[in-house]
Amino acid sequence: EFKRPKAFPATLGICQEYIGMAITGKEYLADGFKMYYEKMTAFGPKGRLPKLKGSLSNPASFYDLTLEGQKLLGGAYLEHVILLGQRTADMHIALASAQDKEDFRYEDFSLHYQKSLYSGFKTLIRTTSKLLNSSMDKLPDVNKKYAREYFKYTDLLEKSFRKITNEKLGLKKIRIHGHYHLSRVLFTGNDFEIIGFEGDLSFSFHEKKVKKSPLRDLATMIYSIHRVAQLTSINNEYDLKYPIRWFHYISGFMVNSYIGHAKGEPFMPTNREDFNILLETYLLERCLTELRYELERKPSNIQIPIRLIRYVCDQYTK
């Protein structure tokens, strides 16, 4: 830490134990999706997950699946996905535990804060739409149909974001990870180690310290699982109609585990409706942010966030 009189200390670096013989969560889940796809094609006509049950914020359990679905998704990696949900909750509980330190003390949600979030989300829709529209001529032909589909959802996006202003949410904001995706967790063979606490490099030092709902981290991890399934399908030329069902159930199992381990914590919503609103809001925010990233770095991948926008809007908003 760098300390000066009459100024807050600045963290210049973090020393963390070296973790050997580990792979990223991204690599591990990509292997899990490949295993699922191979099982599905080997099973023939019955090798499909059932029609989507539950939702991301009210997930189905493993035992809600048909026997065929359990065979497709069962195995050690499923247990590890559930463990990832627990470790995510453990991280947030730890970050919320240092109430003797000013930088980590709880802050309340307020209607003013929620309205400012909504204002920021509306700006995000507008700037993303403008960027996509200006990039239309540069997109590969196969992606232009996805771009046109996005514009069909802009009103639903605004409607979804508006829910956060309905009433004051009775929960606490905390310091969060801030850049929590599958490349920020290492799988050691029997557990996960979380790294990358420097936060999103696009944020200023001050922005990284702003307290937020930990469901923003959870939404980022859900998006990361979706992206792994989509990219694995694209890179291996799999049929792109299958990843969404795998993503739906795998993410749901992780969320179920998170809810079970974080239940009762001050940063958790006390009712399911508030949980639904926050998870939907932060997941759509992540989709729009990732759509901007893809437009700037690899426009051929814009279908990845747009597919998830379709999925979330179809689940929650219509």
Side-chain angles (χ1 to χ4, degrees):
E1 285 190 340
F2 176 59
K3 296 183 178 180
R4 295 173 294 167
K6 299 181 180 180
F8 62 84
T11 301
L12 301 181
I14 299 171
C15 184
Q16 191 168 0
E17 182 182 358
Y18 173 72
I19 303 164
M21 301 298 290
I23 60 174
T24 66
K26 180 180 178 180
E27 294 170 293
Y28 185 64
L29 265 290
D31 287 343
F33 178 72
K34 288 177 185 176
M35 189 186 310
Y36 152 75
Y37 194 87
E38 288 167 3
K39 284 183 182 178
M40 183 181 60
T41 52
F43 286 170
K46 291 186 177 180
R48 293 190 64 187
L49 286 172
K51 186 177 179 181
L52 301 186
K53 295 182 179 180
S55 66
L56 286 179
S57 53
N58 191 18
S61 76
F62 180 72
Y63 298 103
D64 290 328
L65 298 178
T66 62
L67 183 59
E68 289 78 12
Q70 291 178 9
K71 288 178 180 177
L72 282 170
L73 289 177
Y77 90 93
L78 175 59
E79 296 175 10
H80 292 139
V81 165
I82 293 170
L83 179 61
L84 178 60
Q86 178 183 339
R87 291 291 174 257
T88 303
D90 290 341
M91 173 182 69
H92 289 144
I93 291 168
L95 287 169
S97 67
Q99 290 302 298
D100 58 329
K101 299 183 185 299
E102 183 177 351
D103 285 344
F104 289 84
R105 285 179 194 150
Y106 296 131
E107 290 181 4
D108 289 324
F109 268 66
S110 67
L111 266 178
H112 175 74
Y113 171 71
Q114 291 165 220
K115 288 177 181 178
S116 70
L117 285 178
Y118 172 54
S119 178
F121 296 148
K122 286 199 299 181
T123 300
L124 183 59
I125 296 172
R126 185 173 64 252
T127 56
T128 304
S129 299
K130 184 178 179 181
L131 179 60
L132 182 57
N133 195 45
S134 65
S135 304
M136 192 72 80
D137 292 339
K138 303 173 187 176
L139 292 176
D141 289 341
V142 70
N143 292 107
K144 287 181 179 178
K145 70 172 185 177
Y146 290 107
R148 288 190 288 269
E149 181 180 4
Y150 162 82
F151 287 107
K152 295 178 182 178
Y153 283 99
T154 51
D155 288 343
L156 285 175
L157 285 168
E158 196 278 333
K159 179 181 177 182
S160 179
F161 285 139
R162 196 186 314 138
K163 294 177 187 176
I164 203 167
T165 65
N166 287 350
E167 60 182 28
K168 180 180 177 298
L169 298 172
L171 63 150
K172 307 291 187 182
K173 295 182 285 180
I174 66 170
R175 287 284 291 276
I176 65 173
H177 185 286
H179 203 204
Y180 190 60
H181 51 78
L182 285 169
S183 292
R184 292 294 185 267
V185 294
L186 299 180
F187 181 63
T188 64
N190 55 15
D191 209 340
F192 291 97
E193 297 280 351
I194 301 172
I195 61 172
F197 284 91
E198 68 274 13
D200 190 329
L201 297 179
S202 66
F203 286 4
S204 69
F205 180 74
H206 173 73
E207 287 173 318
K208 292 177 184 179
K209 296 182 68 176
V210 173
K211 298 181 179 76
K212 299 168 183 171
S213 167
L215 295 192
R216 189 187 290 261
D217 277 345
L218 188 64
T220 303
M221 180 57 71
I222 291 170
Y223 183 88
S224 187
I225 294 172
H226 165 75
R227 192 170 193 272
V228 161
Q230 293 288 334
L231 277 180
T232 304
S233 294
I234 292 169
N235 293 338
N236 291 278
E237 299 183 349
Y238 294 162
D239 192 323
L240 290 176
K241 66 184 177 183
Y242 295 120
I244 201 69
R245 292 194 179 193
W246 178 87
F247 154 78
H248 172 88
Y249 286 110
I250 290 298
S251 296
F253 300 149
M254 186 200 66
V255 172
N256 241 339
S257 176
Y258 180 88
I259 293 171
H261 285 89
K263 186 177 181 179
E265 294 293 329
F267 56 76
M268 281 291 283
T270 55
N271 63 72
R272 188 53 64 102
E273 181 58 29
D274 288 349
F275 184 88
N276 292 353
I277 289 172
L278 280 172
L279 191 62
E280 174 189 351
T281 296
Y282 289 132
L283 195 50
L284 288 173
E285 179 197 26
R286 175 49 50 186
C287 289
L288 291 174
T289 302
E290 292 290 336
L291 178 53
R292 292 175 62 87
Y293 289 162
E294 299 293 7
L295 281 168
E296 291 166 359
R297 64 192 178 193
K298 195 169 183 181
S300 60
N301 282 343
I302 65 165
Q303 74 267 32
I304 295 175
I306 292 173
R307 280 196 181 111
L308 194 55
I309 288 171
R310 178 207 302 161
Y311 165 85
V312 175
C313 287
D314 288 349
Q315 269 213 331
Y316 293 102
T317 311
K318 286 186 176 178

